[in-house]
């Protein structure tokens, strides 16, 4: 297919009025409209709208009534077909702190789906985000404290085996980890991410030297910046090696704190996420998350204790908030919603930007950053007929 008359954001430059040709699931070529070839295949007229790489959501639990912990092909089908509506073309299905039996079953079902069922035209799973059970009981949030485990190499390997080696990122509390744990994750090709942690500045710095490179929902469920007691957030502010996930739903982090983080970290070190749960896309009411009842009211989801329990944000909503809260350029927005995550997860050779030879994961957004078309690996997965 060919997309014409679009503002094309390629990896190295922006083409004000251009075309992009997709063939066999990859990007074949692009250029200015005045040089566009005659084309007899499928034609999509972008009508002057933004044409950019699809969103990558590296932290999402569920959507549209489905959750990764449901451990069914039907739930995963639901999500992979639903997410393109919000411009998400790839993501990390994220688990919860539950019993070993429940988590390992979910990991096995997700691994099977990755290997045999995740087709073009669906949001692609890039691996698995294991959030818990290796967290601090002092910062469980909406996770179940009854199933918290110590981050040991032996325990990790049990989950890695259940996931058939597909764990791509793991959230854990560094202060609880046995010696060598972070180094071991790096050696296994897993991105170490601190989260739900009571670690202070010194402990974060110690593990950063061993390969810690990501901070799970930065600001949330970790020690904040304080002028006398520097916490995990302080370390995140000063270390560019630590990429900061931000839930930009307007609830988890105040818009001014989003702006401050953007100014301090720079767009190249921020990763926008949804941390969404199954109530995303559904009306207010009661829902389940990790065996706990969640109450959705508007854009907020909370458990009985009052703790926030993930979000119901869509990635396009997150993108609009990032743009509004920070005043960033479109090029910077692409970094925070796609490129940075692709680099962090080691898939930038095929994801995270528009370049020849990369996967044809392309979205068309209008001037208000509303999704008009989503293409997943060369197949149209969502189209707003009003375009």
């Amino acid at each position: 297919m060919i997309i014409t008359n679009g503002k094309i954001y390629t990896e190295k430059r922006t083409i004000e009025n251009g075309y992009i040709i997709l063939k066999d699931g990859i990007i074949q070529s692009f250029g200015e409209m005045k040089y566009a070839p005659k084309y007899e295949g499928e034609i999509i007229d972008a009508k002057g709208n933004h044409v950019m790489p699809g969103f990558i959501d590296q932290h999402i639990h569920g959507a549209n009534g489905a959750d990764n912990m449901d451990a069914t092909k039907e739930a995963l089908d639901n999500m992979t077909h639903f997410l393109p509506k919000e411009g998400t073309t790839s993501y990390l299905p994220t688990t919860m702190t539950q019993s070993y039996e429940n988590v390992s079953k979910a990991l096995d079902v997700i691994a099977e789906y990755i290997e045999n069922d995740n087709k073009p035209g669906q949001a692609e799973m890039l691996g698995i985000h294991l959030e818990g059970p290796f967290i601090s009981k002092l910062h469980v949030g909406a996770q179940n404290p009854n199933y918290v485990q110590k981050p040991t190499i032996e325990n990790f390997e049990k989950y890695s085996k259940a996931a058939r080696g597909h764990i791509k990122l793991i959230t854990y509390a560094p202060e609880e980890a046995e010696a060598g744990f972070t180094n071991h994750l790096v050696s296994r090709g897993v991105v170490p991410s601190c989260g739900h942690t009571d670690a202070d500045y010194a402990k974060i710095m110690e593990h950063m030297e061993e390969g810690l490179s990501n901070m799970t929902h930065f600001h949330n469920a970790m020690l904040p910046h304080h002028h006398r007691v520097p916490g995990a957030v302080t370390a995140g502010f000063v270390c560019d090696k630590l990429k900061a996930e931000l839930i930009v739903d307007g609830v988890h982090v105040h818009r001014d704190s989003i702006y401050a983080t953007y100014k301090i970290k720079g767009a190249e070190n921020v990763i926008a996420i949804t941390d969404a749960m199954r109530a995303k896309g559904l009306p207010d009411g009661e829902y389940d998350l990790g065996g706990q009842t969640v109450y959705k009211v508007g854009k907020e989801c909370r458990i009985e204790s009052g703790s926030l329990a993930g979000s119901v944000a869509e990635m396009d909503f997150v993108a609009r908030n990032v743009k509004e809260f920070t005043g960033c350029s479109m090029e910077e927005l692409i970094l925070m919603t796609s490129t940075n995550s692709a680099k962090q997860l080691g898939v930038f050779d095929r994801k995270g930007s528009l370049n020849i030879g990369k996967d044809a994961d392309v979205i068309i957004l209008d001037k208000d950053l509303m999704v008009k078309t989503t293409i997943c690996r060369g197949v149209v997965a969502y189209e707003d007929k009003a375009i």
Side-chain angles (χ1 to χ4, degrees):
M1 73 178 66
I2 185 171
I3 301 172
T4 60
N5 302 308
K7 188 171 184 178
I8 315 288
Y9 295 87
T10 75
E11 187 174 314
K12 299 187 182 299
R13 67 187 177 108
T14 299
I15 304 171
E16 290 298 326
N17 183 32
Y19 72 91
I20 183 168
I21 295 177
L22 316 177
K23 184 178 181 181
D24 298 328
I26 65 169
I27 298 169
Q28 185 182 61
S29 63
F30 49 73
E32 298 178 26
M33 275 306 297
K34 61 184 178 181
Y35 301 123
K38 292 183 178 180
Y39 201 80
E40 297 180 355
E42 183 178 358
I43 300 174
I44 297 177
D45 187 350
K47 299 184 177 180
N49 288 317
H50 304 290
V51 179
M52 52 195 276
F55 299 135
I56 299 174
D57 190 357
Q58 69 179 41
H59 190 151
I60 174 172
H61 296 276
N64 198 36
D67 189 289
N68 299 306
M69 294 301 296
D70 292 344
T72 67
K73 179 180 181 298
E74 290 73 23
L76 303 182
D77 268 335
N78 184 345
M79 290 181 63
T80 57
H81 286 93
F82 179 85
L83 294 179
K85 296 178 182 179
E86 60 193 59
T88 297
T89 56
S90 49
Y91 70 106
L92 292 186
T94 305
T95 58
M96 289 285 292
T97 300
Q98 280 196 21
S99 68
Y100 170 75
E101 292 73 23
N102 287 345
V103 176
S104 60
K105 181 181 178 182
L107 294 175
D108 180 67
V109 172
I110 296 170
E112 175 69 19
Y113 197 91
I114 290 172
E115 293 172 4
N116 297 300
D117 299 302
N118 206 182
K119 310 297 184 187
Q122 304 167 275
E124 182 180 2
M125 298 175 180
L126 300 176
I128 299 169
H129 177 175
L130 187 74
E131 186 184 18
F134 306 132
I135 60 176
S136 168
K137 288 188 176 182
L138 299 176
H139 299 274
V140 292
Q143 307 270 346
N144 193 325
N146 294 325
Y147 298 114
V148 169
Q149 294 183 25
K150 285 286 185 181
T152 68
I153 294 172
E154 181 181 3
N155 284 340
F156 165 74
E157 284 300 329
K158 291 178 182 178
Y159 289 102
S160 181
K161 182 178 180 180
R164 308 182 199 177
H166 287 292
I167 294 175
K168 180 71 73 170
L169 185 148
I170 179 170
T171 293
Y172 69 109
E175 75 280 7
E176 299 289 339
E178 74 171 350
F181 184 78
T182 302
N183 280 324
H184 182 74
L185 296 179
V186 174
S187 73
R188 300 284 267 111
V190 177
V191 176
S193 184
C194 61
H196 293 276
T197 174
D198 201 49
D200 60 9
Y201 176 91
K203 181 58 69 172
I204 296 296
M205 297 296 283
E206 175 188 324
H207 281 264
M208 188 189 71
E209 293 302 317
E210 297 176 8
L212 178 68
S213 60
N214 202 78
M215 303 191 81
T216 297
H217 41 56
F218 190 56
H219 295 293
N220 297 111
M222 62 180 61
L223 294 183
H225 170 69
H226 189 277
H227 60 287
R228 283 193 297 272
V229 186
V233 170
T234 314
F237 278 149
V238 302
C239 299
D240 288 346
K241 288 182 180 179
L242 295 172
K243 306 306 177 190
E245 289 183 0
L246 283 175
I247 309 173
V248 196
D249 63 349
V251 177
H252 280 77
V253 184
H254 191 279
R255 60 182 295 157
D256 293 340
S257 294
I258 295 289
Y259 179 65
T261 302
Y262 158 78
K263 291 291 287 185
I264 295 168
K265 295 289 289 177
E268 66 278 8
N269 293 312
V270 170
I271 296 174
I273 60 166
T274 66
D275 194 11
M277 49 87 69
R278 74 167 78 243
K280 174 168 43 180
L282 298 178
D284 289 355
E286 295 183 14
Y287 297 91
D288 170 80
L289 179 67
Q292 300 186 85
T293 300
V294 174
Y295 303 90
K296 176 185 180 294
V297 179
K299 290 295 182 183
E300 291 191 20
C301 293
R302 297 182 183 272
I303 57 175
E304 192 67 44
S305 68
S307 293
L308 285 168
S311 84
V312 288
E314 301 87 2
M315 269 301 288
D316 60 332
F317 175 73
V318 163
R320 290 190 293 274
N321 282 346
V322 170
K323 192 78 170 65
E324 179 185 347
F325 296 173
T326 68
C328 68
S329 66
M330 285 298 296
E331 289 80 3
E332 288 180 317
L333 181 66
I334 290 169
L335 289 178
M336 292 185 275
T337 58
S338 189
T339 304
N340 294 343
S341 186
K343 289 181 177 179
Q344 184 72 306
L345 302 177
V347 295
F348 188 59
D349 60 325
R350 62 188 184 93
K351 304 283 186 184
S353 69
L354 302 184
N355 208 351
I356 294 171
K358 287 198 171 188
D359 288 355
D361 288 348
V362 183
I363 55 176
I364 301 175
L365 306 183
D366 68 14
K367 62 181 178 60
D368 298 316
L369 303 187
M370 303 296 290
V371 179
K372 294 301 177 183
T373 304
T374 301
I375 299 165
C376 298
R377 287 175 284 169
V379 177
V380 174
Y382 170 75
E383 191 170 16
D384 180 355
K385 301 300 182 181
I387 193 173

